[in-house]
Amino acid sequence: MNTDEPWPSLEEAEARVPGCRFDDLFNLVVDPAFLVVAWERVRANKGGRTAGVDGVAPRSVASPARLLTGLRAELKARTFNPMPVREVLIPKAGGKTRMLGIATARDRVVQASLKLVLEPIFKADFKSCSYGFRPRRRAQDAIAEIHILATNSYEWVLEGDIKACFDEIAHSPLMGRVRDRIGDKRVMSLVKAFLHAGILSEDGVERDTITGTPQGSLCAAAHNPPYE
C-alpha cells in the first residue's frame, strides 16, 4: 500500500472494500481462542439444552476441553465432517409448519467459529438501510426509519417476501457469492460441507440437502434463537 496516496472519499472506499477477498482465514477458525468463544456461545444459547442427531445437548457436555481438542484436531487434519441436522417441525398459523434443523453440539461449535470469522467480512457489504438478520438490529429500528422517511415526503412502502427462501436457495450461486469475498478454500470447503450435511426427518428418514439451508443453524439462532 502506498501511504503517500491521498485518502479516498467514503464513496471510493466503500466501492473498494467489498471487492476484497480474504485468504488464510482457516487458521482463525481453528484458533483455540475462537473455538472457546464459539463453544461458550453455543452453550449459552437457548438451544444449548437441545440435542442433534447424536443425542448430545451442549449443556450436557461434561468435558468441553476434550470436545474442543478433538474438534480442532479433526479440523486441522481435514477429517471433520458435519452430521445431518435433526428435523423439528414447528407449527405455524394456518396449519402450516416450519422446519428447523438442529445440528449436533460439535457442528454448532464449528458453525459458531466460522460465524465469528465470516460475519465481520460480510457485514461490511450490508447497506445502512438493511435490518434483517443483523446483530443489534431489529424490526423496530426499521419501523423507526420508515417513520422518519414518511414524515419527509416519502409516500410509498413496498413489502415483499421470497417464498421458501431458506428451503430453496440454490447452493451454487450462494457459494459463488461467498467465494467473491472468501479466498480460503479450506473455509469454503467447510461452508459447503454444512450445506450438504443432510437432514434426518422426524420419521427417521435421512435425505440429502440438494438445495436450501435448514433454519435453526447457529447463524440464524444468534438473532432469534428458535429452539429450546
Side-chain angles (χ1 to χ4, degrees), residues 199-213:
I199 298 171
L200 183 65
S201 66
E202 289 189 327
D203 57 6
V205 177
E206 186 175 336
R207 63 180 187 270
D208 296 332
T209 44
I210 300 172
T211 61
T213 174

Side-chain angles (χ1 to χ4, degrees), residues 54-140:
D54 61 352
V56 178
R59 294 188 190 178
S60 71
V61 174
S63 177
R66 181 182 300 174
L67 179 144
L68 295 181
T69 299
L71 264 182
R72 187 167 189 262
E74 289 182 32
L75 287 166
K76 293 185 70 174
R78 306 292 298 277
T79 58
F80 171 81
N81 286 302
M83 299 182 70
V85 298
R86 179 170 67 87
E87 179 185 64
V88 176
L89 298 177
I90 306 298
K92 292 178 61 178
K96 296 182 179 180
T97 59
R98 178 166 64 106
M99 195 281 282
L100 299 180
I102 313 302
T104 64
R106 288 165 46 87
D107 291 350
R108 275 182 257 177
V109 172
V110 180
Q111 289 179 7
S113 190
L114 277 169
K115 181 175 182 289
L116 286 169
V117 174
L118 298 180
E119 185 174 66
I121 295 172
F122 287 97
K123 183 179 178 182
D125 292 342
F126 279 90
K127 302 294 184 182
S128 61
C129 60
S130 175
Y131 292 93
F133 298 98
R134 297 185 64 186
R136 292 177 293 280
R137 287 189 171 220
R138 52 184 185 165
Q140 287 84 348

Side-chain angles (χ1 to χ4, degrees), residues 26 78 80-83 85 110-111 114 118 170-176 178-179 182 184-198 208-214:
F26 185 77
R78 306 292 298 277
F80 171 81
N81 286 302
M83 299 182 70
V85 298
V110 180
Q111 289 179 7
L114 277 169
L118 298 180
H171 290 171
S172 292
L174 178 62
M175 290 294 291
V178 176
R179 197 175 291 110
I182 308 301
D184 193 321
K185 293 183 179 179
R186 296 165 297 179
V187 170
M188 293 298 298
S189 178
L190 278 176
V191 174
K192 184 177 181 180
F194 279 117
L195 286 174
H196 293 169
D208 296 332
T209 44
I210 300 172
T211 61
T213 174

